[in-house]
Amino acid sequence: MDKVKVIKERLKTAQSRQKSYSDVRRRDLEFKEDDWVFLNVSPMKGVMQFGKKGKLSLRQARKLRNKEIASVKVLWRNQQSEEATWEVEEEMKKKYPHLFG
């Protein structure tokens, strides 16, 4: 049990050190209306949509009582892949029609 406690303490110390390193580099992003941003949209495994590789993918559509709402995964610029968001497909088609070909 003593060794487990020592290992846990050392892991916590290492995590704290790594967090302090990343916090120095991290900055909050603020966008204004009409700002231009680059989109990087990654496909889900095994799903191909619109005939474009690596551009957009359809999410397992959200089902409501009378309709289905399709979503696409959007990776915004300066964000990690874990921070990608699911956006409504129709809204993305209106804003960025060139991505849907």
Side-chain angles (χ1 to χ4, degrees):
M1 290 304 281
D2 292 334
K3 286 187 178 185
V4 171
K5 287 182 183 178
V6 170
I7 291 170
K8 283 185 178 181
E9 287 176 17
R10 288 183 181 168
L11 279 173
K12 192 172 185 179
T13 303
Q15 288 172 343
S16 173
R17 185 181 317 115
Q18 291 300 321
K19 183 179 182 324
S20 68
Y21 294 153
S22 66
D23 285 348
V24 170
R25 296 180 53 97
R26 182 167 289 136
R27 60 190 163 114
D28 291 331
L29 298 176
E30 292 184 16
F31 299 104
K32 296 181 215 111
E33 195 170 322
D34 293 332
D35 280 353
W36 286 82
V37 296
F38 288 102
L39 295 177
N40 182 11
V41 183
S42 59
M44 287 176 39
K45 195 177 204 178
V47 176
M48 293 308 295
Q49 187 72 10
F50 313 112
K52 296 212 177 211
K53 277 190 172 183
K55 282 279 188 180
L56 300 171
S57 67
L58 184 66
R59 186 176 190 180
Q60 301 79 315
R62 208 171 27 192
K63 290 187 178 183
L64 302 178
R65 287 185 182 172
N66 298 327
K67 64 180 181 177
E68 291 184 353
I69 300 176
S71 300
V72 290
K73 191 173 186 179
V74 179
L75 178 62
W76 303 99
R77 187 173 66 169
N78 294 330
Q79 287 189 339
Q80 303 296 324
S81 60
E82 299 84 15
E83 298 169 335
T85 59
W86 287 100
E87 304 291 338
V88 177
E89 181 183 29
E90 289 302 317
E91 291 176 12
M92 291 291 112
K93 277 185 179 179
K94 288 177 187 171
K95 290 181 183 177
Y96 311 102
H98 60 281
L99 294 176
F100 291 81

